[in-house]
Amino acid sequence: MTDSRWAHSPRIVEAMRRAAELADRVRGSTSPNPPVGCVILDEAGSVVGSGATRPPGGPHAEVVALREAGSSARGGTAVVTLEPCAHVGRTGSCAVALREAGVARVVYAVEDPNPSAAGGAEELANSGVAVADGVLAEEVSAGALRGWLHFVRNGRPHVTWKYAASLDGRSAAVDGTSQWISSPESRAEVHRLRAGCDAVLAGTGTVQADDPRLTVRDESGAPLRRQPLRVVLGDRELPAGARVFDDSAETLRLRGRDPGEALRVLAERGVVEVFLEGGPTLAGAFLRAGLIDRVQAFVAPALLGSGRSALGEAGVVSLSQAWRFYFERVTMCGPDVWISAVPVEG
């Protein structure tokens, strides 16, 4: 679709940002469906409805927003983060729902790359609805839809590797102690990042050394209602009493050491985003396989001099072989530096 001037009005841009915020709130709860946000403006440009995709089997964002808008949607504008679907599955076509509600315009940020659901924009345009795309496309693509778009385009889950380390890149001291290198502020942020993923993955070595729960907790330490799938990868035997096997969340035990095979199994389960919290060995294996799509690093203002490195063998013997990333975001998190980095393409 070709952008129109009306699609970039301040009210519509503001509505798109609001839709993106709504989508971000449900990220991690909609898989394998995309986390989408929608805002409905009436003919005068006022917000009369908003919503985000519900968990699988529930209504999509457009339907939630239309229900809230009611008759006020007629003649108005639907602002959606992803092209409305033309697919009829467990729920009906969003394109049909928008058309039947009588909206006059539909603006979306990102074209749907899923061939089984795409085509909604064309269907709407053919029925006389004014359609425009590309509004805040880059911003929306890098937000809640990032993992889902990667999943659809690449056929495997999006992998974020998180680590906390000292200034000299150590994740633990010589005696093995690692709690806590990072600050309470960084640890709270990690829980928010976990909450947006479908699965948290760690290796058997990390489970043996740290006995983590791999759950998501709020600032008071209470577990959230929705918990990502906990995944433990590796061949080492683990004690039955390990906290990762408690009843606070579901745990999947995967034997073997092949990151690609692990992601294949998770993709079959509808896992779209994986949060990799494994130790240096597992992180190195994923990096060697080219399967790290984003790094979230929390660097503490401390020096250890020796101890466990944050990253193990990564297949690099010469500087020319270094895995190159670029910083998409660098900010302070309490006393720590929080770095978000993605691979340099090519």
Side-chain angles (χ1 to χ4, degrees):
M1 298 296 159
T2 302
D3 287 347
S4 301
R5 289 185 180 181
W6 57 266
H8 294 272
S9 71
R11 283 187 177 179
I12 289 180
V13 171
E14 180 182 355
M16 186 64 79
R17 287 210 165 91
R18 170 62 177 160
E21 291 172 0
L22 292 169
D24 195 57
R25 292 180 186 177
V26 299
R27 181 170 158 254
S29 68
T30 66
S31 297
N33 296 327
V36 177
C38 177
V39 171
I40 306 293
L41 306 176
D42 63 14
E43 287 187 87
S46 298
V47 175
V48 291
S50 62
T53 304
R54 298 289 171 80
H60 292 185
E62 295 92 325
V63 174
V64 176
L66 286 171
R67 287 175 180 173
E68 184 176 291
S71 61
S72 297
R74 185 163 299 277
T77 303
V79 181
V80 196
T81 55
L82 184 68
E83 176 187 5
C85 69
H87 174 68
V88 177
R90 283 181 288 186
T91 61
S93 162
C94 291
V96 170
L98 291 165
R99 186 188 70 222
E100 292 182 345
V103 298
R105 304 178 186 86
V106 172
V107 181
Y108 63 93
V110 182
E111 183 178 350
D112 193 334
N114 185 356
S116 66
E122 182 178 3
E123 183 175 326
L124 286 163
N126 290 340
S127 65
V129 177
V131 181
D133 72 331
V135 176
L136 298 184
E138 186 173 344
E139 183 176 322
V140 170
S141 296
L145 282 174
R146 181 200 298 250
W148 182 84
L149 290 170
H150 178 280
F151 181 81
V152 173
R153 291 165 178 165
N154 297 281
R156 67 164 178 86
H158 179 277
V159 178
T160 294
W161 172 42
K162 183 279 301 181
Y163 73 89
S166 60
L167 273 174
D168 51 343
R170 305 292 179 177
S171 62
V174 173
D175 64 357
T177 54
S178 61
Q179 298 179 348
W180 298 102
I181 289 178
S182 61
S183 65
E185 293 89 343
S186 291
R187 298 197 296 276
E189 193 60 51
V190 167
H191 280 280
R192 285 189 284 270
L193 292 171
R194 279 183 187 173
C197 293
D198 304 300
V200 179
L201 192 155
T204 50
T206 295
V207 174
Q208 284 184 337
D210 299 335
D211 193 22
R213 282 195 177 90
L214 301 182
T215 54
V216 179
R217 299 181 292 279
D218 63 21
E219 293 181 357
S220 68
L224 299 187
R225 177 178 298 179
R226 178 201 165 270
Q227 293 289 335
L229 173 69
R230 299 182 293 193
V231 183
V232 180
L233 176 63
D235 292 322
R236 300 182 192 184
E237 294 303 321
L238 298 172
R243 292 193 293 183
V244 76
F245 296 125
D246 65 20
D247 60 1
S248 58
E250 181 184 0
T251 298
L252 175 65
R253 180 76 162 87
L254 294 178
R255 297 284 180 172
R257 301 178 181 180
D258 184 349
E261 175 62 17
L263 293 184
R264 185 193 65 78
V265 172
L266 294 177
E268 289 179 350
R269 292 176 63 104
V271 170
V272 170
E273 292 198 62
V274 171
F275 200 61
L276 177 62
E277 295 223 38
T281 301
L282 189 60
F286 269 81
L287 188 58
R288 289 196 306 275
L291 295 175
I292 290 181
D293 306 301
R294 193 183 194 189
V295 176
Q296 298 281 11
F298 294 85
V299 182
L303 293 170
L304 296 180
S306 57
R308 187 173 65 199
S309 172
L311 179 64
E313 169 57 42
V316 176
V317 296
S318 173
L319 187 60
S320 63
Q321 297 175 310
W323 298 90
R324 295 291 182 177
F325 287 73
Y326 74 88
F327 296 155
E328 62 176 4
R329 184 171 181 266
V330 179
T331 189
M332 298 300 296
C333 192
D336 305 328
V337 176
W338 175 15
I339 300 169
S340 179
V342 295
V344 174
E345 295 184 2

